[in-house]
Amino acid sequence: MAGSTSSARDRRVAAEVEAACASEGLFVLAGHGIDAELSTAFDAARTFFGLPAEVKDGVPRVNRYGYVPDRIEARTPSSAAYMGRSSLAAEYLDMGLAGEVDIEAVEALGCDGFAAAVRGYQAAALGAAHAVLEALATTLGVPGFFAARMSQPQCRLRFLHYPPCDRLDDGSAPVYSTPHTDYGAITMLATDGVPGLELLRDSRWVPVSTPPGGIVVQLGDMLARWTNDRYRSTPHRVVGSSGADRFSIPFFVNPDPSVVVSTIGSCVTAERPERYEPVTAGEFLVSRIDSPTEPYV
C-alpha cells in the first residue's frame, strides 16, 4: 500500500507541475534540499553588496560577466529596456561555471568565504535543476531528454540587490526590471522573502509570494521553443519594496551550447503543428542576450 500511495502522490505532483508549466510558466519548488548552500550564498551576496561602491567597481564587467552597479548610466545607453527610464536600477554580479569571474579576487576584496559559497551553491543549484528538468522531461514523455543535453551546461549565477525605494506619487511601486521573459531553459530563482516579483496573468500584474529561501522555477523561451509552446514562458517584472533591501539569486540554466533545440515530438499535434525551426542553444542565447530589450545588460 505504501508504494501505491507514493505512486499516486507522484502522479498528482506531476499533474500539478504540468498544469503550472502550461498555464503560469512557473512554480515554487518545495523541499529543494539546498537550504544550507542557499543561506551561505545569500550571506555572500549581502557581504559583497555591502562593500564600498569603489571596491565593487573594481570587479570588471567582461563579456557580460562581472559587476554592474545600481546606476542607470552603467547600462548600455541605447538599450530599449532602459530608454526613458528613471535612475531606478538594481546592482548585480554575474558569474559563470567556467571561471568567467575571478571569485578568489572578489573574496580578496573583503568577502571571506565568497569563493566557497559561490562554488557550493552553483553545484547544489545545478543538482536541483537536473532534478527539475528530469521531472519536466517525464511530464513530456521523454525521460532523460534534458539530462543527455547537459554535459557542459551554459549556466549563469546572478547575485541581485534591489535597494529600498519610495512609492511613486500615485502610491504605486516603481518598477525595477522591465517586463520580460527569461530566454534560457529554466531559471532557479531564490528569494529572500521580501515581495517584489510579479507575473503577468490575464493582462494584470500578480505578486508571486515565496518564503525566505524559496525557489521559484521559471520556464524560459528556450523551453517554450522545445515544447512548441506547450509549456510557456511568462512575462514577469520586479517592483520596489519601500523601506527594505531586497536580495535574490537567479540561476539561469541552459544546455550545452552545441545542443540543437528542435521541437520535442510529443509536443507536435494536428492542433498544434510545429512552430519553430531548429537552432543551437548557443546561437539562440546569443540572439537573446544581444537583444536591445534584454532587461539586464
Side-chain angles (χ1 to χ4, degrees):
M1 290 296 293
S4 175
T5 301
S6 177
S7 297
R9 183 176 62 248
D10 291 345
R11 288 194 297 270
R12 184 176 67 254
V13 170
E16 290 173 353
V17 168
E18 185 169 12
C21 291
S23 59
E24 303 287 9
L26 59 77
F27 55 91
V28 178
L29 185 63
H32 48 68
I34 59 173
D35 304 84
E37 293 87 352
L38 182 53
S39 177
T40 301
F42 269 118
D43 288 344
R46 291 187 180 95
T47 299
F48 174 77
F49 291 126
L51 295 172
E54 62 272 16
V55 176
K56 291 180 290 189
D57 284 342
V59 181
R61 179 77 169 172
V62 180
N63 294 329
R64 297 185 182 273
Y65 288 93
Y67 174 66
V68 174
D70 54 350
R71 302 189 298 270
I72 204 73
E73 66 270 18
R75 274 64 173 174
T76 304
S78 62
S79 171
Y82 287 92
M83 295 296 287
R85 289 278 303 280
S86 69
S87 60
L88 190 68
E91 59 178 335
Y92 61 99
L93 175 65
D94 279 346
M95 298 163 283
L97 298 179
E100 290 87 349
V101 172
D102 185 349
I103 54 178
E104 280 79 10
V106 176
E107 182 169 319
L109 297 176
C111 299
D112 291 345
F114 187 87
V118 168
R119 292 195 186 97
Y121 185 68
Q122 284 175 327
L126 188 56
H130 279 303
V132 169
L133 287 169
E134 183 58 23
L136 297 180
T138 300
T139 66
L140 296 168
V142 286
F145 179 87
F146 298 113
R149 291 159 174 78
M150 295 281 292
S151 60
Q152 292 183 314
Q154 188 176 4
C155 301
R156 180 185 301 255
L157 178 65
R158 175 171 289 163
F159 285 175
L160 258 166
H161 171 223
Y162 301 92
C165 58
D166 296 326
R167 291 270 171 172
L168 301 177
D169 291 341
D170 62 3
S172 64
V175 177
Y176 266 107
S177 68
T178 54
H180 64 282
T181 54
D182 289 351
Y183 40 77
I186 62 173
T187 301
M188 307 282 284
L189 174 64
T191 69
D192 65 354
V194 176
L197 178 65
E198 297 182 339
L199 65 85
L200 189 62
R201 180 193 294 159
D202 299 327
S203 301
R204 294 177 56 249
W205 287 106
V206 180
V208 178
S209 178
T210 57
I215 293 181
V216 179
V217 178
Q218 297 173 314
L219 309 189
D221 296 337
M222 186 185 297
L223 189 72
R225 190 182 186 101
W226 245 324
T227 63
N228 207 31
D229 292 333
R230 173 175 162 181
Y231 288 172
R232 61 179 299 186
S233 54
T234 300
H236 52 276
R237 67 181 187 180
V238 174
V239 298
S241 298
S242 180
D245 289 278
R246 181 176 183 270
F247 298 88
S248 68
I249 301 180
F251 185 58
F252 303 102
V253 181
N254 303 298
D256 307 348
S258 61
V259 161
V260 176
V261 180
S262 57
T263 309
I264 296 171
S266 62
C267 299
V268 179
T269 64
E271 295 76 23
R272 189 189 292 271
E274 192 164 1
R275 302 177 178 184
Y276 300 105
E277 294 293 326
V279 63
T280 68
E283 290 169 340
F284 181 75
L285 287 175
V286 167
S287 71
R288 292 301 309 277
I289 291 171
D290 288 341
S291 166
T293 59
E294 211 282 329
Y296 295 104
V297 293

